[in-house]
Amino acid sequence: MRKSVIFDMDGTLFQTNKILELSLEDTFNYLKSLGKWDGHTPIEKYREIMGVPLPEVWETLLPNHTMKIREEVNQYFLETLVENIHRGKGALYPHVESILTHLKENDYSLFIASNGLTTYLEAIVTQYHLDRWVSEVFSIEQIQTLNKSDLVKRIIDKYDVKAGAVVGDRLSDIKAAKENGLISIGCRFDFAKEEELSQADFVVNDLMELENLLIKK
């Protein structure tokens, strides 16, 4: 029986922290230019909630702003993220290409399920040629509920996944695995929280550890 691995993108495959501060700073400077923000860029607050869908991000960071302003900011932020990706400001985590190659060579089907928006995910896939290994990338935009568990279920249903794992750094990834009968593997990377990782079946500090967890089983 062929197995599958479903990866999160931000904080799992892609080092979002390398472009996060740049893009967020630029976005809040834009808000200041509109006279809609006064103060420091809430980078630490964003780090705390990293991994949630963007509508929830702006509800948290801009609780007193209108929906129209949030949507405008969301679009500006997305465009800035994509620009920084194409300018080579981001990076994959160490050994991403190696582990994806090993998994593919061992007949694993590989997917990405992310709370990121489609345009953003496509920019990362294009920049780093992830389509060499990944069968399909799924964005939270495709799910009305904005729930990672439902997004993973869509992959399972579409590709008739019978066994496998979800690899990610946040609780939403761990829950998505458990609620769909898959192995949960937490990544102790930039945005991970120990209280969330404690709920995973396994935790890795480096993606190459997946070789022992998955391939050599």
Side-chain angles (χ1 to χ4, degrees), residues 11-207:
T12 300
L13 295 179
F14 183 66
Q15 295 188 59
T16 316
N17 60 313
K18 288 186 176 293
I19 63 169
L20 175 63
E21 192 164 348
L22 283 172
S23 302
L24 205 64
E25 191 74 43
D26 195 29
T27 300
F28 275 83
N29 284 338
Y30 169 70
L31 259 183
K32 286 179 184 178
S33 74
L34 298 177
K36 300 292 185 181
W37 184 259
D38 182 25
H40 298 296
T41 299
I43 182 69
E44 290 305 320
K45 186 65 177 177
Y46 190 81
R47 287 181 181 278
E48 289 176 15
I49 60 173
M50 184 67 196
V52 304
L54 277 176
E56 190 175 333
V57 166
W58 303 120
E59 286 174 17
T60 303
L61 299 186
L62 302 173
N64 301 317
H65 290 67
T66 65
M67 183 63 72
K68 182 179 179 181
I69 288 294
R70 289 179 194 164
E71 289 174 353
E72 186 176 342
V73 167
N74 184 62
Q75 184 59 35
Y76 189 92
F77 183 59
L78 177 61
E79 290 172 0
T80 305
L81 285 171
V82 169
E83 181 181 342
N84 281 324
I85 291 166
H86 289 318
R87 288 170 60 201
K89 296 293 185 179
L92 299 177
Y93 277 97
H95 308 132
V96 166
E97 295 190 3
S98 295
I99 193 59
L100 294 182
T101 298
H102 283 314
L103 289 170
K104 194 76 172 177
E105 288 174 349
N106 281 271
D107 205 32
Y108 274 80
S109 298
L110 306 178
F111 307 95
I112 292 171
S114 171
N115 281 337
L117 302 183
T118 303
T119 304
Y120 167 72
L121 297 173
E122 286 176 348
I124 298 172
V125 170
T126 300
Q127 183 73 16
Y128 300 102
H129 309 290
L130 294 179
D131 52 359
R132 287 175 286 173
W133 306 283
V134 176
S135 297
E136 190 171 351
V137 179
F138 290 77
S139 164
I140 202 68
E141 278 189 291
Q142 298 170 245
I143 297 293
Q144 205 165 21
T145 61
L146 299 182
N147 185 300
K148 179 68 81 72
S149 297
D150 294 338
L151 188 62
V152 167
K153 186 175 187 305
R154 172 166 289 196
I155 298 173
I156 289 170
D157 290 344
K158 179 172 181 177
Y159 286 91
D160 193 29
V161 174
K162 300 298 185 185
V166 176
V167 180
D169 64 318
R170 299 307 303 266
L171 186 59
S172 59
D173 304 302
I174 295 166
K175 284 185 173 180
K178 292 181 177 295
E179 291 174 8
N180 285 287
L182 301 177
I183 296 168
S184 59
I185 302 176
C187 296
R188 190 176 279 117
F189 296 167
D190 296 293
F191 304 108
K193 297 182 177 181
E194 287 301 320
E195 63 269 26
E196 296 182 359
L197 293 177
S198 67
Q199 300 184 48
D201 295 317
F202 302 97
V203 177
V204 298
N205 296 293
D206 185 301
L207 288 172

